[in-house]
Amino acid sequence: MTKVISIINQKGGVGKTTSTINLGCALANQGQKILLIDLDPQGNASTGLGIEPSTRLKTIYEFLLNPELDPSAFITNSKIDNLDIITANVDLSGLETEVAENNKRAFFLKEIISKINEKNQYNQILIDCPPSLSLLTIMALVASNTVIIPLQTEFFALEGVSQLIKTIERVKQNLNKSLDIQGVILTMYDKRNKLCSQVESEARRYFDDKVYKSVIPRNVRISEAPSHGMPVIKYDRNCTGTLAYEELAKEVLQQYKSGVAA
Ligand SMILES: Nc1ncnc2c1ncn2[C@@H]1O[C@H](COP(=O)(O)OP(=O)(O)O)[C@@H](O)[C@H]1O
Ligand SMILES: [Mg+2]
């Protein structure tokens, strides 16, 4: 069965998009069939995979408004084997007001994902969430089996986390009973910075064994890769960022094997 995972944190700049692209690519490299859904009007996941705004003709925005259409019209092959994407652009920022009157709006994404899954062609669908707890994020939570939370290992890393957890709990109670936190990724870790290890301890205390052992280092190759339209794994095969995301992908797959993640 296809696993649907939201990569979520209402803070911007914590590594959601970077983790969606690179975890997705690492899983694809390990033989998993992956679909990324760019659910952020900024469209960074689409850009990061080298899909320029002018070539994004059929985006998630149109799909959400026209769920009866054939999913294949919205799915773009990335240049990476086993990795497809549904792109986004700024149009998506208008969705919330346009569907405000529709009382089924929280289920729109779930509906189209069910349609995609009729073909049973993906092992995982990763949703790159916007930096907010707005309708788009609620849609993602309703459509997901689990969430993965990237935390930037910086001062204030855990600020806002309780609000995020509350939102997840609320969706779980009312709209998606089986929703679960699959894991927490520590991102932009700098071992020379004492603060990072303090934040790591704090996060491991708060989330316990939900925090992945693979920590993503601050690595300039990771930040350069999107401007070349590539995941870091393609951009620099051997850098520390690539190796960390590959280890992370192994851990995620192991969660399914051992039954830790549904
Ligand atoms: N491990 C890392 N090392 C260096 N730069 C990173 C790393 N992870 C993310 N970045 C950079 O930090 C910025 C924010 O990351 P991004 O993934 O876009 O965050 P979000 O999607 O949560 O807003 C981007 O410029 C990205 O390239
Ligand atoms: Mg982002």
Side-chain angles (χ1 to χ4, degrees):
M1 219 189 66
T2 307
K3 311 294 186 187
V4 184
I5 308 169
S6 281
I7 315 295
I8 184 176
N9 186 330
Q10 76 274 32
K11 273 199 200 184
V14 299
K16 288 181 290 299
T17 302
T18 304
S19 295
T20 308
I21 292 176
N22 292 304
L23 175 60
C25 181
L27 287 167
N29 269 0
Q30 290 171 34
Q32 302 287 301
K33 301 254 185 264
I34 305 293
L35 175 67
L36 300 189
I37 298 181
D38 189 347
L39 200 64
D40 185 346
Q42 295 179 83
N44 294 341
S46 310
T47 311
L49 283 176
I51 304 166
E52 293 305 320
S54 61
T55 64
R56 288 172 218 162
L57 302 177
K58 295 235 177 220
T59 65
I60 189 70
Y61 169 76
E62 276 97 25
F63 199 4
L64 288 165
L65 291 179
N66 301 285
E68 72 288 352
L69 296 179
D70 183 355
S72 62
F74 297 91
I75 296 173
T76 308
N77 300 117
S78 73
K79 287 165 227 148
I80 289 144
D81 288 344
N82 294 337
L83 186 67
D84 291 342
I85 180 166
I86 300 181
T87 61
N89 63 18
V90 69
D91 293 345
L92 189 58
S93 60
L95 186 85
E96 183 150 4
T97 42
E98 285 168 54
V99 301
E101 307 279 291
N102 190 317
N103 57 15
K104 292 207 182 107
R105 62 193 184 281
F107 294 89
F108 283 6
L109 185 63
K110 185 185 166 87
E111 193 184 331
I112 64 174
I113 287 179
S114 305
K115 221 170 153 201
I116 292 167
N117 284 343
E118 282 170 13
K119 281 204 186 152
N120 216 352
Q121 51 184 330
Y122 297 108
N123 297 106
Q124 280 96 24
I125 297 179
L126 304 186
I127 306 172
D128 184 27
C129 289
S132 70
L133 295 173
S134 63
L135 174 67
L136 290 171
T137 303
I138 302 298
M139 280 179 175
L141 292 174
V142 169
S144 294
N145 301 105
T146 61
V147 304
I148 291 182
I149 303 170
L151 280 188
Q152 184 179 356
T153 44
E154 262 218 343
F155 197 56
F156 288 139
L158 287 162
E159 184 206 48
V161 161
S162 62
Q163 201 192 353
L164 174 59
I165 303 295
K166 253 186 237 157
T167 305
I168 294 169
E169 284 304 320
R170 215 175 302 135
V171 169
K172 198 171 158 144
Q173 273 165 26
N174 301 311
L175 303 165
N176 181 6
K177 292 217 163 18
S178 58
L179 183 66
D180 210 358
I181 297 176
Q182 179 164 352
V184 174
I185 311 173
L186 299 176
T187 68
M188 297 182 236
Y189 194 95
D190 178 355
K191 11 180 228 272
R192 291 161 307 181
N193 186 343
K194 226 172 133 193
L195 185 61
C196 286
S197 62
Q198 283 168 12
V199 172
E200 177 176 11
S201 314
E202 217 178 307
R204 291 194 190 277
R205 216 175 308 127
Y206 189 94
F207 285 105
D208 207 6
D209 56 2
K210 294 273 184 202
V211 183
Y212 291 109
K213 291 191 192 80
S214 337
V215 170
I216 311 300
R218 184 173 279 284
N219 175 217
V220 67
R221 307 301 271 170
I222 291 180
S223 56
E224 286 168 359
S227 63
H228 299 267
M230 283 184 230
V232 70
I233 298 167
K234 293 286 163 194
Y235 179 63
D236 185 342
R237 192 67 209 81
N238 296 309
C239 70
T240 56
T242 291
L243 302 177
Y245 274 109
E246 284 181 331
E247 283 308 307
L248 179 68
K250 283 185 203 153
E251 261 189 83
V252 168
L253 289 180
Q254 190 55 41
Q255 287 185 306
Y256 292 119
K257 280 193 200 133
S258 60
V260 174

